[in-house]
Amino acid sequence: MTKENTTSLEKKSLSGRSALSLLEFSSEEIFHLLDEAVKLKENPYSQALKGKTLAMIFEKSSTRTRISFEVGMLQLGGHAIDLNAKELQLGRGETIADTAKVLSAYVDAVMIRTTKHERVKELAEHATIPVINGLCDVFHPCQALADLLTILELKGTFENIKVAYVGDGNNVAHSLMIGSAKVGLNVSIASPLGFEPNQNLVEQAKKIGKETGAEIVVMNDPLEAVKDADIVYTDVWTSMGQEDEEEKRKEIFHPYQVNQRLMEKAKPTAHFLHCLPAHRGEEVTADVMDGEQSAVFQQAENRLHAQKALLKEILK
């Protein structure tokens, strides 16, 4: 199903590893996680993490991240603790370093969904247990793992497959780009001028792509990006924390709306993906979001399976 050389990874354990971004994982490790996710999707219940506890810190609101991590731990025989940052001493000025040391004494891993990547890195620096990035301003690695799993299910391979991402060059775009480069998946990203992905990360993805055969292209023309694409992907135009820019962004991003006209530029067999939540009538029209080409809810379900694979491997 995936690359044959993934079997060699079994000799190298992922136990104890943090997951701050997909840059820290090799191509073989990502393929291994995807293989594990497929197995866990087929057989969801086990006692693989019996006695293990995951602390979940939320500094940003969540639906899919919170539920999928909590359910994932339960299905693997473990336990998850939902921690609202405002209810922790973090909300009263306790340092991340102190919080990391305390949690390291109590639980087996920490997942954090926060505003700045620096906070994720600081937590991992001072923790003696694995730290998982549930989302920050730069990366969304768990979403990218679910995206790759979904694409693999839809297309059966990553070879000669093109993903077109249309919209804000944000954390989702960064992780999709890096994850795709790692597995040899071609990506074309179209963003408005001034809203392109981080150039340093683009260069890193292109460098990785040279080794895996992935072509990474960034442009401003959405029609050109979507041409002959197998997957068309978008995200909201205004992320949490950008509400004051909402009206300005609607005007700038309007030409990047994924609608039937744009989908017609992709292959007839193309599928539509969205990391959710979606705003019908803004970044995507309702007929695309709810149409036959949409696989967004399969993609949302795969957050559970991909994250279970990650949890199992780093906590086993």
Side-chain angles (χ1 to χ4, degrees), residues 121-176:
K121 291 195 294 184
E122 186 178 358
L123 185 67
E125 180 182 349
H126 294 280
T128 57
I129 54 177
V131 172
I132 300 172
N133 182 357
L135 175 142
C136 67
D137 59 331
V138 182
F139 298 112
H140 200 348
C142 295
Q143 179 64 56
L145 285 175
D147 297 340
L148 294 176
L149 177 60
T150 306
I151 294 168
L152 195 59
E153 289 177 336
L154 293 171
K155 302 303 178 183
T157 182
F158 293 137
E159 293 183 11
N160 301 315
I161 298 296
K162 176 183 176 180
V163 177
Y165 176 92
V166 179
D168 193 11
N170 57 14
N171 50 3
V172 171
H174 291 159
S175 290
L176 175 68

XYZ file of all heavy atoms in Angstrom, residues 121-176:
422
model
N 7.281 25.038 21.327
C 8.701 24.698 21.465
C 9.170 24.831 22.907
O 9.938 23.991 23.396
C 9.547 25.601 20.556
C 9.365 25.340 19.078
C 10.463 25.990 18.244
C 10.406 27.492 18.320
N 11.422 28.116 17.434
N 8.705 25.868 23.596
C 9.111 26.070 24.989
C 8.563 24.949 25.873
O 9.259 24.454 26.774
C 8.627 27.424 25.493
C 9.140 27.758 26.888
C 8.708 29.134 27.373
O 8.025 29.857 26.611
O 9.055 29.488 28.518
N 7.338 24.540 25.620
C 6.751 23.445 26.388
C 7.571 22.170 26.189
O 7.899 21.466 27.153
C 5.303 23.223 25.947
C 4.502 22.180 26.726
C 4.257 22.633 28.158
C 3.165 21.911 26.030
N 7.927 21.879 24.943
C 8.708 20.670 24.645
C 10.115 20.746 25.221
O 10.669 19.732 25.665
C 8.764 20.464 23.134
N 10.674 21.941 25.238
C 12.038 22.127 25.751
C 12.134 21.778 27.232
O 13.144 21.224 27.695
C 12.481 23.570 25.519
C 13.882 23.877 26.022
C 14.265 25.332 25.813
O 13.533 26.063 25.102
O 15.300 25.752 26.381
N 11.088 22.085 27.991
C 11.130 21.891 29.445
C 10.406 20.641 29.912
O 10.508 20.280 31.087
C 10.555 23.123 30.141
C 11.380 24.360 29.947
N 12.513 24.617 30.672
C 11.229 25.393 29.074
C 13.036 25.772 30.274
N 12.286 26.259 29.306
N 9.693 19.970 29.012
C 8.990 18.740 29.379
C 9.912 17.538 29.203
O 10.804 17.543 28.352
C 7.745 18.567 28.524
N 9.693 16.518 30.006
C 10.442 15.267 29.863
C 9.554 14.177 29.272
O 9.912 13.003 29.300
C 10.989 14.813 31.225
O 9.898 14.676 32.148
C 11.989 15.825 31.770
N 8.414 14.576 28.740
C 7.463 13.675 28.099
C 7.175 14.212 26.696
O 7.461 15.379 26.398
C 6.149 13.584 28.910
C 5.576 14.990 29.143
C 6.371 12.857 30.232
C 4.236 15.001 29.863
N 6.622 13.392 25.818
C 6.315 13.866 24.459
C 5.311 15.015 24.452
O 4.361 15.031 25.238
C 5.729 12.630 23.779
C 6.265 11.475 24.549
C 6.350 11.947 25.966
N 5.541 15.961 23.549
C 4.632 17.091 23.341
C 4.127 17.036 21.908
O 4.914 16.899 20.970
C 5.333 18.431 23.614
C 4.437 19.601 23.208
C 5.723 18.540 25.080
N 2.816 17.133 21.738
C 2.197 17.103 20.417
C 1.608 18.479 20.110
O 0.878 19.046 20.916
C 1.083 16.052 20.349
C 1.652 14.661 20.633
C 0.390 16.077 18.989
C 0.587 13.585 20.779
N 1.935 18.987 18.943
C 1.389 20.254 18.486
C 0.007 20.014 17.894
O -0.138 19.458 16.812
C 2.327 20.859 17.435
C 1.856 22.213 16.931
O 0.797 22.699 17.314
N 2.635 22.824 16.062
N -1.032 20.438 18.628
C -2.405 20.293 18.163
C -2.836 21.395 17.240
O -3.898 21.298 16.612
N -2.054 22.440 17.131
C -2.219 23.572 16.223
C -1.491 24.756 16.826
O -1.521 24.965 18.048
C -3.697 23.947 16.014
C -3.975 25.203 15.173
C -5.203 25.019 14.282
C -4.175 26.434 16.077
N -0.824 25.504 15.962
C -0.246 26.795 16.357
C -0.294 27.698 15.128
O -0.896 27.343 14.121
C 1.186 26.628 16.885
S 2.381 26.104 15.635
N 0.329 28.847 15.203
C 0.251 29.792 14.094
C 1.067 29.365 12.880
O 0.814 29.830 11.764
C 0.698 31.183 14.546
C 2.131 31.195 15.074
O 2.590 30.154 15.595
O 2.793 32.254 14.977
N 2.026 28.459 13.047
C 2.916 28.072 11.948
C 2.598 26.688 11.405
O 2.658 26.462 10.193
C 4.394 28.133 12.387
C 5.317 27.789 11.221
C 4.740 29.514 12.940
N 2.251 25.743 12.276
C 2.067 24.357 11.859
C 0.756 23.756 12.375
O 0.230 24.186 13.395
C 3.223 23.488 12.363
C 4.576 23.865 11.831
C 5.536 24.394 12.683
C 4.894 23.693 10.494
C 6.793 24.742 12.213
C 6.146 24.039 10.005
C 7.097 24.563 10.866
N 0.298 22.745 11.652
C -0.842 21.919 12.077
C -0.535 20.487 11.638
O -1.202 19.921 10.761
C -2.121 22.429 11.419
C -3.376 22.004 12.116
N -3.390 21.036 13.109
C -4.692 22.390 11.957
C -4.633 20.865 13.538
N -5.436 21.657 12.848
N 0.461 19.844 12.259
C 0.942 18.538 11.780
C -0.075 17.418 11.842
O -0.095 16.546 10.961
C 2.139 18.252 12.689
C 1.908 19.082 13.921
C 1.236 20.320 13.428
N -0.932 17.409 12.859
C -1.923 16.335 12.968
C -2.946 16.424 11.838
O -3.397 15.396 11.315
C -2.613 16.399 14.324
S -1.500 16.068 15.710
N -3.291 17.638 11.442
C -4.198 17.807 10.310
C -3.555 17.276 9.038
O -4.205 16.600 8.231
C -4.555 19.288 10.136
C -5.484 19.569 8.963
C -6.840 18.937 9.136
O -7.523 19.187 10.125
N -7.251 18.100 8.182
N -2.265 17.550 8.858
C -1.572 17.092 7.651
C -1.513 15.576 7.583
O -1.652 14.989 6.498
C -0.165 17.686 7.591
N -1.307 14.914 8.722
C -1.313 13.450 8.729
C -2.678 12.912 8.295
O -2.765 11.955 7.522
C -0.965 12.924 10.119
C 0.500 13.019 10.552
C 0.650 12.579 12.006
C 1.392 12.176 9.653
N -3.743 13.548 8.776
C -5.094 13.143 8.374
C -5.321 13.418 6.895
O -5.969 12.626 6.194
C -6.136 13.878 9.216
N -4.793 14.525 6.407
C -4.917 14.857 4.987
C -4.237 13.801 4.124
O -4.802 13.332 3.121
C -4.272 16.220 4.696
C -4.951 17.362 5.420
O -6.114 17.205 5.840
O -4.306 18.420 5.575
N -3.027 13.411 4.501
C -2.284 12.419 3.732
C -3.006 11.070 3.751
O -3.075 10.375 2.727
C -0.870 12.273 4.281
C 0.037 13.506 4.140
C 1.381 13.253 4.804
C 0.232 13.871 2.669
N -3.539 10.699 4.909
C -4.290 9.450 5.015
C -5.505 9.475 4.094
O -5.801 8.492 3.399
C -4.723 9.231 6.468
C -5.594 7.999 6.744
C -4.878 6.715 6.345
C -5.984 7.957 8.227
N -6.189 10.606 4.054
C -7.385 10.742 3.214
C -7.032 10.662 1.736
O -7.712 9.978 0.956
C -8.091 12.071 3.513
O -8.349 12.177 4.918
C -9.404 12.175 2.751
N -5.986 11.346 1.343
C -5.554 11.319 -0.060
C -5.163 9.904 -0.469
O -5.483 9.446 -1.568
C -4.394 12.311 -0.285
C -4.886 13.746 -0.078
C -3.802 12.158 -1.695
C -3.777 14.774 0.018
N -4.481 9.207 0.427
C -4.077 7.827 0.144
C -5.300 6.933 -0.029
O -5.344 6.073 -0.915
C -3.198 7.312 1.275
C -2.392 6.037 1.021
C -1.460 6.200 -0.161
C -1.611 5.657 2.271
N -6.314 7.139 0.801
C -7.538 6.360 0.677
C -8.271 6.669 -0.632
O -8.797 5.776 -1.290
C -8.474 6.649 1.859
C -8.002 6.083 3.186
C -8.929 6.449 4.320
O -9.648 7.463 4.236
O -8.939 5.698 5.317
N -8.296 7.941 -0.995
C -9.036 8.360 -2.188
C -8.353 7.943 -3.476
O -9.014 7.558 -4.446
C -9.223 9.880 -2.179
C -10.131 10.461 -1.090
C -10.038 11.982 -1.091
C -11.575 10.021 -1.290
N -7.022 8.029 -3.485
C -6.275 7.822 -4.730
C -5.457 6.537 -4.751
O -5.008 6.111 -5.817
C -5.357 9.020 -4.983
C -6.095 10.360 -5.072
C -7.159 10.339 -6.168
C -7.927 11.644 -6.243
N -9.019 11.596 -7.264
N -5.242 5.932 -3.596
C -4.514 4.676 -3.550
C -3.015 4.802 -3.640
O -2.287 3.811 -3.477
N -2.511 5.993 -3.891
C -1.077 6.231 -4.044
C -0.798 7.725 -3.937
O -1.722 8.540 -4.037
C -0.582 5.725 -5.414
O 0.835 5.928 -5.515
C -1.274 6.458 -6.555
N 0.469 8.070 -3.743
C 0.896 9.468 -3.797
C 1.624 9.772 -5.106
O 1.865 10.936 -5.429
C 1.836 9.791 -2.627
C 1.171 9.734 -1.274
C 1.802 9.134 -0.196
C -0.080 10.285 -1.074
C 1.205 9.091 1.057
C -0.702 10.242 0.167
C -0.050 9.640 1.238
N 1.983 8.731 -5.828
C 2.763 8.908 -7.046
C 1.921 9.558 -8.143
O 0.805 9.128 -8.422
C 3.307 7.568 -7.532
C 4.344 6.969 -6.583
C 4.933 5.681 -7.114
O 4.705 5.362 -8.301
O 5.613 4.985 -6.339
N 2.476 10.602 -8.760
C 1.819 11.318 -9.861
C 0.463 11.896 -9.467
O -0.430 12.032 -10.313
C 1.667 10.407 -11.077
C 3.003 9.892 -11.588
O 3.965 10.654 -11.704
N 3.080 8.605 -11.876
N 0.309 12.231 -8.199
C -0.908 12.868 -7.704
C -0.603 14.334 -7.419
O 0.419 14.658 -6.814
C -1.426 12.180 -6.428
C -1.793 10.724 -6.714
C -2.620 12.935 -5.847
C -2.926 10.547 -7.697
N -1.500 15.199 -7.833
C -1.323 16.642 -7.626
C -2.383 17.172 -6.669
O -3.576 16.958 -6.862
C -1.420 17.398 -8.959
C -1.345 18.917 -8.809
C -1.518 19.626 -10.136
C -1.534 21.145 -9.958
N -1.699 21.858 -11.254
N -1.918 17.870 -5.637
C -2.798 18.553 -4.696
C -2.706 20.047 -4.947
O -1.604 20.610 -4.989
C -2.402 18.260 -3.233
C -3.292 19.046 -2.279
C -2.485 16.776 -2.937
N -3.842 20.686 -5.123
C -3.883 22.143 -5.289
C -4.508 22.751 -4.042
O -5.670 22.470 -3.720
C -4.692 22.522 -6.520
N -3.733 23.557 -3.348
C -4.244 24.264 -2.172
C -4.494 25.713 -2.590
O -3.592 26.397 -3.092
C -3.237 24.210 -1.029
C -3.660 25.004 0.193
C -4.362 24.406 1.227
C -3.374 26.366 0.297
C -4.758 25.131 2.340
C -3.774 27.098 1.396
C -4.469 26.481 2.416
O -4.863 27.218 3.498
N -5.714 26.187 -2.352
C -6.105 27.536 -2.762
C -6.543 28.321 -1.541
O -7.495 27.938 -0.857
C -7.256 27.476 -3.796
C -7.669 28.885 -4.210
C -6.836 26.668 -5.013
N -5.840 29.424 -1.251
C -6.231 30.255 -0.119
C -5.052 30.779 0.670
O -3.952 30.954 0.135
N -5.276 31.007 1.947
C -4.281 31.603 2.820
C -3.088 30.662 3.018
O -3.261 29.488 3.335
C -4.926 31.921 4.172
C -4.072 32.829 5.037
O -3.080 33.383 4.530
O -4.417 32.983 6.228
N -1.886 31.177 2.868
C -0.676 30.377 3.092
C -0.388 30.256 4.574
O 0.624 30.755 5.071
N -1.248 29.556 5.279
C -1.233 29.533 6.742
C -0.620 28.246 7.294
O 0.093 27.527 6.606
C -2.654 29.723 7.267
C -3.615 28.664 6.728
O -3.210 27.649 6.176
N -4.913 28.907 6.888
N -0.931 27.956 8.556
C -0.397 26.758 9.208
C -0.823 25.469 8.516
O -0.036 24.527 8.412
C -0.816 26.730 10.686
C -2.308 26.967 10.900
O -3.087 27.108 9.957
N -2.721 27.024 12.157
N -2.043 25.419 8.039
C -2.528 24.237 7.327
C -1.761 24.055 6.024
O -1.331 22.944 5.677
C -4.048 24.341 7.060
C -4.520 23.223 6.135
C -4.821 24.302 8.371
N -1.574 25.148 5.295
C -0.813 25.089 4.043
C 0.623 24.661 4.295
O 1.187 23.856 3.545
C -0.841 26.455 3.359
N 1.239 25.183 5.362
C 2.623 24.823 5.695
C 2.759 23.323 5.945
O 3.641 22.662 5.393
C 3.080 25.573 6.947
C 3.244 27.040 6.742
N 3.229 27.941 7.778
C 3.432 27.772 5.616
C 3.404 29.162 7.308
N 3.515 29.080 5.996
N 1.893 22.770 6.790
C 2.013 21.365 7.146
C 1.640 20.452 5.982
O 2.259 19.401 5.779
C 1.150 21.051 8.371
O 1.705 21.647 9.531
N 0.645 20.838 5.201
C 0.281 20.073 4.009
C 1.453 20.032 3.036
O 1.783 18.983 2.471
C -0.939 20.693 3.340
C -1.366 20.064 2.014
C -1.900 18.652 2.230
C -2.408 20.936 1.311
